[in-house]
Amino acid sequence: QRESQDRVVQPFDGTIPFKVSCAQCLLTSNYPNGFVAVLGDTAEELQPTIARARIAADAKRKKSQFHSDHADFVCAICLSTLQLLNRAGNTRSASSQLHVDLMSQLSNCGVQLSETRGDDVHNLQVKLGHHLTSILRMIGKDHDGKYVMILGYQKYPMKLELDIPGGKRHLGETTLDGAVRETEEECSLRIDTEWLASHMPARFGGKHVNPSGEDTG
């Protein structure tokens, strides 16, 4: 079939020149995407967990096995500091003292931001990832004095992104499966899946059932 002298339109042979990726289990299941918040009463309480993540990350780094989404560093930050940053919205307007507090907590956790000097702290731009802002909204002020394990990303000297592990489920994954995989991909920390399943309800891929027999959590 000829459309013009220069262009020939071939008859449709039943093939589609692009791929559509979808699956019934992703489209119709009740499993939401998940994220992991590791909380402690103090920064020191989180240090053993952070140390395990760093050791595992060092081993992956030597073998060049880093996932593209892997964090630049892992640390513990007080929830009250994160709540203040979250309320500041565009964190360029956050006070220099708030950034000084953040930098102090990073330093106490052994994190030194690249090419960032103390007198530049007022120019620091901090972005909170959507998993982190979600958990901050969920817990409100009830746990402001606690600390959370944070993943840090620094692509530019004065720009910092903070988040917690999490992301979209892969084909066939439950919420639990996805959260465990994302945590290892993003900070090299391996979670005890059986322990986590015992604390999560079946609707998220877990095994926890309360005494009344209801699937809760």
Side-chain angles (χ1 to χ4, degrees):
Q1 180 181 354
R2 185 173 296 277
E3 185 181 65
S4 69
Q5 298 246 346
D6 301 321
R7 181 180 175 190
V8 177
V9 178
Q10 298 295 333
F12 179 64
D13 62 1
T15 62
I16 301 175
F18 56 88
K19 179 181 178 181
V20 178
S21 296
C22 62
Q24 185 176 6
C25 63
L26 285 176
L27 297 175
T28 63
S29 74
N30 293 322
Y31 293 126
N33 296 322
F35 51 80
V36 175
V38 182
L39 300 177
D41 290 329
T42 64
E44 290 72 22
E45 186 177 332
L46 293 178
Q47 288 311 308
T49 301
I50 292 172
R52 286 197 296 273
R54 289 175 174 174
I55 291 171
D58 286 342
K60 286 186 176 182
R61 185 180 292 108
K62 292 176 181 178
K63 297 179 180 179
S64 300
Q65 293 178 336
F66 263 177
H67 190 273
S68 58
D69 293 333
H70 200 284
D72 295 321
F73 61 84
V74 183
C75 63
I77 300 294
C78 187
L79 282 169
S80 59
T81 301
L82 296 169
Q83 290 285 18
L84 289 172
L85 285 169
N86 191 35
R87 285 195 286 271
N90 180 353
T91 52
R92 290 183 183 180
S93 64
S95 70
S96 294
Q97 184 55 47
L98 182 55
H99 286 161
V100 169
D101 180 34
L102 175 62
M103 295 287 282
S104 175
Q105 293 184 54
L106 291 176
S107 178
N108 290 339
C109 210
V111 175
Q112 181 62 48
L113 300 183
S114 63
E115 300 181 38
T116 303
R117 303 186 305 272
D119 55 351
D120 286 336
V121 69
H122 62 282
N123 292 321
L124 183 65
Q125 296 178 35
V126 183
K127 177 183 177 182
L128 304 187
H130 67 277
H131 298 118
L132 178 55
T133 55
S134 294
I135 195 67
L136 291 175
R137 287 194 298 269
M138 289 171 60
I139 64 178
K141 297 181 179 180
D142 295 341
H143 303 283
D144 269 5
K146 291 183 179 295
Y147 284 74
V148 61
M149 187 185 77
I150 290 292
L151 311 186
Y153 301 85
Q154 188 187 17
K155 294 183 179 179
Y156 305 99
M158 297 306 298
K159 293 185 178 181
L160 180 65
E161 181 172 354
L162 305 176
D163 209 347
I164 57 177
K168 295 180 180 179
R169 293 183 299 111
H170 284 182
L171 179 64
E173 283 186 332
T174 64
T175 301
L176 184 151
D177 295 332
V180 169
R181 175 185 50 75
E182 289 283 349
T183 300
E184 184 169 6
E185 288 179 352
E186 294 178 356
C187 68
S188 299
L189 183 65
R190 303 188 70 176
I191 298 176
D192 185 334
T193 306
E194 285 300 315
W195 176 87
L196 187 58
S198 69
H199 291 77
M200 290 182 69
R203 61 193 174 95
F204 296 133
K207 303 175 182 178
H208 175 71
V209 178
N210 72 4
S212 68
E214 297 177 353
D215 178 21
T216 63

